[in-house]
Amino acid sequence: MSRIKKVPFLSRVCRYLSVIVKKLNFVTMRRLLTRLVNRVLLSKLFTPAMGFEAEKHTQSRRKLVVGLGNHGMEGTRHSVGMAVLGALATRLGVADHWRADKLVSGEVIVSEVQDTHVVLLRPRLLMNVNGVSVAKAAGKYRIRPEDILLVHDELDKPLGKIHFKHGGSARGHNGVRSCVDCLQTDVMRRLRVGIGRPEGNTAVNVHVLGRFSSSERTVLDSVLAQSVDLLLSQLSQQEDSRPSSSPSSPAGGRQAAQSRKEAHPAESSAAAHS
């Protein structure tokens, strides 16, 4: 008799699950899956080796500049952030200093801009999980989320336009969303490099994963130079002398941002309207 009662119950459970799955569209399912992958890849974030490395990099405040993109697809529009990092390394005279670092799942250069220690990072992961590499690098070098600068492509701006953004939502960019998810905060600054939307009937994914045309590459050279100028300007700015309540590790970044809002309500209000 108990077996007979169990069948309808299981049937109802399966029916409810089926309804829930149908209500979740493809985009939502993909985001949930990506978040799960982020969590799995970050499950071994702080290893003894990384802790040892972190101790060597606590002498002064560091900044992390990340070129978001797809590993192995460096010449595509979607990976223009990596191209900017390459141009920055060239300008700093360290273009041949890239080294693979398995602990951060990326390629790294440690350099200096004036008196600021700068870590350049090119993730060796797919765009949708770039945040894993960023969080690992932030943990290894003890870099706070507000000292991280993300460089990425921007569909809503034409090629030739660049824009600096002080934190905020991911605005539909999967690489930025991954960083927000893994760092648990959205305070990271971003340099948004316009690539423009596709023309005609070209699908967005085909457009962003395609390579720049010969005419676009002429404009791109100027864009890379302007982007590097802006990055160097940002990296050369004097650090805020006020004490910060943000933790030295990525975890808790969102809570730290909330603490700053409570401590400086007027500034938070001004930032919300900027």
Side-chain angles (χ1 to χ4, degrees):
M1 188 68 180
S2 60
R3 182 180 300 177
I4 296 176
K5 290 182 178 180
K6 286 182 180 179
V7 173
F9 174 74
L10 292 176
S11 178
R12 287 198 300 271
V13 171
C14 291
R15 191 182 305 118
Y16 291 147
L17 289 176
S18 177
V19 172
I20 293 173
V21 170
K22 287 180 180 179
K23 288 185 177 181
L24 292 175
N25 58 33
F26 173 75
V27 175
T28 303
M29 291 293 290
R30 185 177 64 180
R31 289 180 180 177
L32 290 175
L33 180 59
T34 301
R35 181 166 293 183
L36 176 62
V37 172
N38 284 334
R39 290 291 181 264
V40 171
L41 293 177
L42 279 174
S43 62
K44 296 182 179 180
L45 174 58
F46 297 105
T47 65
M50 291 179 69
F52 174 75
E53 287 290 330
E55 292 300 321
K56 298 191 299 182
H57 300 300
T58 54
Q59 297 300 319
S60 61
R61 185 170 177 177
R62 287 173 174 253
K63 295 185 179 181
L64 175 65
V65 186
V66 187
L68 300 184
N70 284 307
H71 177 57
M73 303 181 68
E74 285 78 2
T76 62
R77 296 182 181 89
H78 210 22
S79 299
V80 71
M82 290 185 170
V84 173
L85 261 285
L88 176 59
T90 298
R91 182 82 68 87
L92 294 176
V94 293
D96 58 344
H97 291 186
W98 289 106
R99 61 180 179 83
D101 189 336
K102 292 183 179 180
L103 290 178
V104 303
S105 302
E107 297 174 321
V108 174
I109 291 178
V110 179
S111 186
E112 289 189 7
V113 175
Q114 293 186 4
D115 295 327
T116 302
H117 295 282
V118 178
V119 179
L120 309 184
L121 171 67
R122 295 191 301 201
R124 304 190 75 174
L125 299 169
L126 294 178
M127 176 71 87
N128 289 11
V129 290
N130 269 193
V132 174
S133 180
V134 177
K136 287 182 176 181
K140 174 176 179 176
Y141 294 101
R142 294 293 176 93
I143 297 175
R144 303 185 301 185
E146 57 265 44
D147 290 327
I148 298 176
L149 204 161
L150 308 175
V151 186
H152 63 89
D153 59 303
E154 178 55 61
L155 268 173
D156 292 329
K157 291 192 177 297
L159 180 64
K161 297 292 184 180
I162 58 177
H163 181 262
F164 201 81
K165 187 174 188 293
H166 293 271
S169 68
R171 299 175 65 91
H173 194 284
N174 291 329
V176 176
R177 182 181 292 113
S178 175
C179 293
V180 171
D181 182 38
C182 292
L183 292 167
Q184 301 178 39
T185 180
D186 60 3
V187 301
M188 297 79 68
R189 294 175 293 167
R190 302 103 192 246
L191 177 59
R192 302 158 61 201
V193 182
I195 61 171
R197 288 196 168 272
E199 298 179 353
N201 297 323
T202 304
V204 171
N205 64 320
V206 174
H207 176 68
V208 299
L209 296 179
R211 295 181 177 275
F212 292 100
S213 65
S214 56
S215 59
E216 288 177 324
R217 283 196 293 270
T218 302
V219 180
L220 182 62
D221 290 340
S222 175
V223 170
L224 295 180
Q226 293 176 29
S227 298
V228 170
D229 289 341
L230 185 53
L231 287 174
L232 291 176
S233 174
Q234 290 292 324
L235 294 172
S236 300
Q237 288 181 359
Q238 294 295 321
E239 297 177 357
D240 193 340
S241 58
R242 293 178 307 180
S244 173
S245 59
S246 180
S248 58
S249 66
R254 188 166 285 148
Q255 290 85 342
Q258 182 62 33
S259 298
R260 286 193 299 277
K261 287 182 180 180
E262 294 174 356
H264 306 283
E267 294 180 8
S268 299
S269 176
H273 294 286
S274 62

